[in-house]
């Protein structure tokens, strides 16, 4: 009986490890979200391997344990790939940015969210699925005189970018073909330095290959931008998802690692980061924190401070 239980568990564990390991062979869209949980699943596989070895100590159980440990260790290494250096950490912040997907059905917390945004001391605020703030827009616009989005009523209120300073340039565009106007490209002058600000809200990775098409369009947009750049928003994927990794490498984007977990809310710090704030040199993050309260959203918001690491002429988004 022990042999039967051993081999049954080994069979299930082998299949599970093989599914996660497919990331090393192919970036199949249906499994893309699974890849985001590589570290978490690897830990589960390690525990399962120890259970298997507790039933019977056989070489195949040790092979499964080594494969599980590899998934964990390599996942942690991949998460650190996009960590910026700390050369600019001691400089005073140039500006602060908040990014928060407030959830499109989160009407009952709209007042609290509005108060939190105004009290945040952020220079720029990137709000996604902002429809619940429809009846608070004038209050927000008093605190943030410059905005992009939510101009034509609640039916078009999705991405809302707020700024205390005027925009040097501004553009609203679409990525892919599934959803409209989820890409905002703007630039703001901070103390004589023009900083390019990009807000993106990507589709869930298991919705066919729509996210791949969106990343392609987003990459083209970022490729047309000169000078310091911030990319923030809801990617619906971890930075270790193969498609996100390829995008970050191509665009030379960095962040502070480990990133704060933003989803699922119930997992707290044990969740994964699917909401991100990235920067391209010479811009650097000096801090990246999760908001204390998700205020009814199914995502946690993020706030980051930035510095410019070197002098030089910058350019607005083309």
């Amino acid at each position: 009986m022990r042999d039967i239980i051993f081999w049954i568990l080994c069979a299930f564990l082998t299949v599970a490890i093989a599914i996660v390991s497919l990331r090393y062979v192919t970036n199949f869209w249906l499994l893309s979200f699974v890849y985001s949980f590589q570290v978490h699943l690897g830990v589960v596989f390690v525990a399962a391997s120890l259970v298997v070895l507790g039933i019977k100590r056989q070489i195949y159980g040790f092979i499964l344990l080594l494969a599980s440990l590899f998934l964990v260790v390599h996942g942690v290494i991949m998460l650190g790939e996009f960590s910026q250096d700390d050369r600019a950490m001691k400089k005073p912040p140039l500006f602060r940015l908040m990014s928060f997907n407030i959830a499109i059905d989160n009407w009952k917390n709209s007042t609290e969210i509005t108060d939190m945004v105004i009290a945040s001391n952020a220079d720029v605020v990137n709000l996604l699925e902002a429809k619940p703030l429809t009846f608070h827009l004038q209050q927000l616009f008093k605190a943030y005189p410059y905005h992009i989005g939510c101009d034509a009523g609640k039916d078009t209120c999705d991405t809302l970018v707020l700024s205390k300073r005027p925009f040097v340039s501004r553009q609203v565009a679409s990525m892919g073909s599934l959803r409209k106007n989820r890409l905002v490209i703007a630039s703001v002058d901070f103390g004589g330095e023009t900083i390019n600000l990009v807000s993106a809200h990507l589709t869930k990775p298991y919705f066919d290959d729509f996210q791949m098409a969106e990343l392609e369009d987003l990459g083209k947009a970022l490729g047309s931008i000169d000078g310091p750049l911030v990319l923030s928003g809801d990617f619906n994927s971890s930075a270790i998802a193969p498609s996100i990794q390829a995008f970050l490498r191509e665009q030379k984007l960095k962040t502070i690692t480990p990133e704060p977990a933003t989803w699922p809310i119930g997992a707290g710090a044990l969740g994964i980061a699917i909401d991100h704030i990235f920067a391209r040199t010479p811009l650097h993050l000096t801090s990246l924190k999760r908001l204390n309260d998700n205020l009814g959203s199914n995502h946690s918001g993020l706030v980051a401070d930035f510095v410019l690491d070197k002098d030089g002429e910058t350019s607005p988004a083309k």
Side-chain angles (χ1 to χ4, degrees):
M1 178 63 71
R2 178 173 292 187
D3 284 346
I4 294 175
I5 295 174
F6 174 84
W7 287 113
I8 289 176
L9 292 177
C10 283
F12 280 112
L13 187 53
T14 299
V15 171
I17 291 174
I19 289 173
V20 177
S21 300
L22 281 174
R23 66 162 299 134
Y24 301 107
V25 179
T26 179
N27 183 24
F28 182 37
W29 61 266
L30 192 59
L31 294 176
S32 184
F33 198 59
V34 173
Y35 300 152
S36 290
F37 283 94
Q38 175 169 329
V39 175
H40 295 68
L41 292 172
V43 171
V44 172
F45 297 159
V46 168
S49 299
L50 293 175
V51 170
V52 166
L53 288 170
I55 295 173
K56 185 175 183 180
R57 292 197 175 188
Q58 197 171 85
I59 186 64
Y60 193 73
F62 287 102
I63 292 174
L64 293 176
L65 177 60
L66 289 175
S68 302
L69 287 170
F70 171 81
L71 290 177
V72 175
V73 173
H74 189 231
V76 172
I77 292 172
M78 287 190 293
L79 284 173
E81 177 182 351
F82 305 104
S83 179
Q84 63 177 26
D85 58 54
D86 59 358
R87 291 176 303 165
M89 292 298 183
K90 295 181 181 179
K91 294 187 176 182
L94 181 64
F95 68 97
R96 173 172 291 180
L97 179 142
M98 177 196 293
S99 183
F100 188 18
N101 183 338
I102 69 172
I104 200 165
D105 58 350
N106 193 13
W107 293 90
K108 68 178 181 179
N109 294 288
S110 59
T111 300
E112 289 77 7
I113 293 172
T114 300
D115 293 340
M116 182 273 295
V117 168
I118 294 172
S120 69
N121 198 34
D123 298 283
V124 179
V125 180
N126 174 33
L127 298 171
L128 308 176
E129 300 187 18
K131 185 184 290 188
L133 301 180
T134 300
F135 302 110
H136 302 278
L137 292 177
Q138 296 310 310
Q139 184 181 354
L140 287 168
F141 295 164
K142 287 181 180 179
Y144 290 89
Y146 309 97
H147 73 279
I148 301 173
C150 297
D151 292 311
K154 67 179 182 180
D155 291 333
T156 58
C157 192
D158 190 348
T159 298
L160 174 63
V161 178
L162 305 167
S163 175
K164 292 183 177 180
R165 297 171 180 259
F167 294 107
V168 177
S169 64
R170 49 187 287 165
Q171 178 187 359
V172 178
S174 299
M175 301 173 292
S177 58
L178 185 61
R179 293 186 172 91
K180 301 293 184 181
N181 301 327
R182 286 194 161 185
L183 173 62
V184 174
I185 304 171
S187 57
V188 175
D189 185 292
F190 292 101
E193 301 287 353
T194 302
I195 306 298
N196 299 291
L197 307 167
V198 179
S199 166
H201 188 179
L202 301 181
T203 301
K204 293 176 176 61
Y206 45 84
F207 283 12
D208 208 320
D209 57 357
F210 287 108
Q211 191 191 82
M212 295 292 293
E214 291 172 349
L215 285 170
E216 183 177 352
D217 289 345
L218 180 58
K220 292 177 181 177
L222 297 191
S224 70
I225 298 176
D226 299 321
L229 179 144
V230 177
L231 171 62
S232 64
D234 177 7
F235 283 58
N236 275 304
S237 294
S238 165
I240 65 172
S243 55
I244 305 298
Q245 278 192 312
F247 169 79
L248 295 177
R249 291 191 191 110
E250 180 184 3
Q251 298 303 323
K252 298 179 173 58
L253 294 167
K254 300 289 185 179
T255 188
I256 291 177
T257 58
E259 295 179 90
T262 62
W263 186 92
I265 290 298
L270 297 179
I272 62 173
I274 65 173
D275 303 85
H276 305 280
I277 299 180
F278 299 111
R280 179 191 289 168
T281 56
L283 199 64
H284 293 259
L285 292 90
T286 60
S287 70
L288 176 62
K289 298 178 181 179
R290 183 173 56 186
L291 298 180
N292 293 330
D293 194 334
N294 66 303
L295 295 172
S297 175
N298 59 342
H299 293 246
S300 288
L302 298 170
V303 62
D305 292 321
F306 295 86
V307 297
L308 204 58
D309 189 39
K310 64 180 182 180
D311 297 328
E313 184 179 353
T314 62
S315 304
K318 296 180 182 177

